[in-house]
Amino acid sequence: MRSENARDVLIIGGGVTGLTLALSLHEARIPCRVYEAAAELKWHGVGINLLPHAVREFTELGLAGRLERRAVLTREMCFYNRFGQFVYKEPRGRYAGYDWPQFSIHRGELHRVLVDAVRERLGADSVALGHRCETLEQDAGGVTASFAGRAPVRGAVAIACDGIHSAVRRQLYPDEGPPVYSGINMWRGVTRWKPYLSGESFVQCGWLDVGKIVVYPIGREPDEQGRQLITWTAEFRSPRNVQADWNLNGRLADFLPTFESFRFEWLDVAEMLRNAEVVLEYPMVDRDPVPRWTFGRVTLVGDAAHPMHPRGANGAAQGILDARTLAGCLARGRDPVTALEAYEKARLKPANEVVLASRSISPDTILRLVHERTGDKPFERVEDVVSGEELAALMEKYKRVAGFEREALKNRPSLVS
């Protein structure tokens, strides 16, 4: 058995949340090690949006420059109906007066930046691969983590960053069952395509009843043909409820017919989908909020604690906030058990509120309003359907709940120091 020091933290899971936690603990001079189930690291996936509150945390970790060299600085979020008619837009990140940008980046690139930083700062063996956690057992002195086919490991506390299918959460909530399917299926992919609108625009079109598409660039530099790397999510209501696996391959034929009419002056969505380099399928799932994450020397973080619908570009950010808050609590607390309780007190209520908000008041509520008020028909003037003030108020409400209202974010103290 590998025996860790009395203050060592066992991090179960080497995704964005787990790696952010490792970097934050290192910053706080708390020893830790990451235990990742995958036998090797692969830079797979599609795009991810990092909102300003997430970028603030990466900036404090000294990673903003690395990310900015690989990411697109999102200029604006734009909404259109499925007929290509403009509904609403607002500036984002630095363009909206934030002290931090909004990044759109390939998930694999983000993961690579974090892994490289962890190995540079914590050591080459700081991420232990091929460690699939099966159980955690704790006593008055520490926690023992058992892994499939590996020697157990002992530490002071164990932090579950092992995602929506968390083995640790399953041990704590054995009767919970599988993630809850929303009735909406998603196909995600990447395509190399000519820049559209500003070249830095995050766009949402349509609505879930008739087909909704989310599109944004994640490639900073165009290729020799002047094309950007574009990521997209095509989604609509469906009984499919496929396996919730981020790497499940999808078929164009299962969703392209819904988007054949999405041909706009500024983007031919159907043709872009046909030229996809990667197509993945994933059901829109979450879990109902639970009243407790912390059980003695074990706690849940990120998707293991509060998986949510990806409708606010905010799931990763909430895990990052968890990680930073937890590191701060451990740095300030003499007793690690009390520190885990303080983390839960700080984060459980706001994170659970975001889970519920992602079901009801996410930014794409704008598209639902237009769809319902027009009866899914083209309009003469959007002002006759909904006012800009009403739409701006919806956006601000979500920002407040999600934790990235501009002035509040600027004025709050660091989560760690």
Side-chain angles (χ1 to χ4, degrees), residues 119-371:
R119 286 174 168 167
E120 289 167 12
R121 299 177 189 183
L122 281 72
D125 67 344
S126 54
V127 180
L129 301 178
H131 282 71
R132 181 169 59 82
C133 182
E134 293 188 322
T135 60
L136 295 176
E137 296 181 8
Q138 59 180 303
D139 52 41
V143 178
T144 300
S146 297
F147 304 94
R150 299 279 186 169
V153 176
R154 187 165 173 82
V157 295
I159 314 301
C161 305
D162 51 343
I164 192 169
H165 300 299
S166 170
V168 178
R169 178 165 172 149
R170 189 163 56 248
Q171 181 179 340
L172 300 175
Y173 290 94
D175 299 323
E176 184 177 36
V180 180
Y181 181 50
S182 67
I184 299 162
N185 205 51
M186 304 184 296
W187 290 263
R188 299 181 174 197
V190 293
T191 305
R192 295 189 185 276
W193 205 248
K194 58 188 178 182
Y196 62 88
L197 297 179
S198 71
E200 299 170 324
S201 301
F202 184 115
V203 176
Q204 302 193 52
C205 303
W207 178 240
L208 298 166
D209 293 339
V210 292
K212 176 184 161 221
I213 188 85
V214 178
V215 187
Y216 57 94
I218 55 174
R220 187 173 179 85
E221 300 297 331
D223 64 14
E224 63 279 0
Q225 299 179 42
R227 302 174 303 174
Q228 287 179 291
L229 190 64
I230 306 292
T231 194
W232 48 264
T233 302
E235 51 194 5
F236 51 81
R237 302 193 191 282
S238 168
R240 289 178 67 85
N241 193 15
V242 296
Q243 178 183 0
D245 176 358
W246 285 114
N247 297 312
L248 179 66
N249 289 325
R251 298 191 319 148
L252 198 63
D254 290 334
F255 65 96
L256 180 60
T258 299
F259 299 93
E260 284 287 5
S261 65
F262 284 51
R263 300 174 185 272
F264 314 137
E265 290 183 4
W266 47 273
L267 180 64
D268 187 332
V269 172
E271 195 62 23
M272 182 198 67
L273 295 176
R274 283 195 178 87
N275 284 272
E277 296 179 359
V278 174
V279 178
L280 303 174
E281 183 175 8
Y282 194 81
M284 188 180 289
V285 294
D286 67 2
R287 291 188 183 277
D288 291 332
V290 291
R292 184 181 177 191
W293 298 341
T294 298
F295 296 77
R297 294 177 178 270
V298 176
T299 197
L300 305 173
V301 175
D303 281 350
H306 47 73
M308 63 189 65
H309 293 166
R311 291 174 57 190
N314 199 36
Q318 294 303 311
I320 291 163
L321 295 178
D322 289 350
R324 299 285 288 164
T325 301
L326 177 54
C329 291
L330 286 166
R332 292 186 292 270
R334 297 177 61 87
D335 173 31
V337 174
T338 302
L340 265 56
E341 292 172 351
Y343 150 72
E344 179 184 291
K345 184 177 180 180
R347 286 292 301 153
L348 186 141
K349 183 175 184 291
N352 283 347
E353 286 177 351
V354 178
V355 173
L356 299 177
S358 295
R359 296 175 177 178
S360 59
I361 61 165
S362 58
D364 65 359
T365 301
I366 287 173
L367 298 174
R368 177 178 61 80
L369 282 178
V370 173
H371 172 79

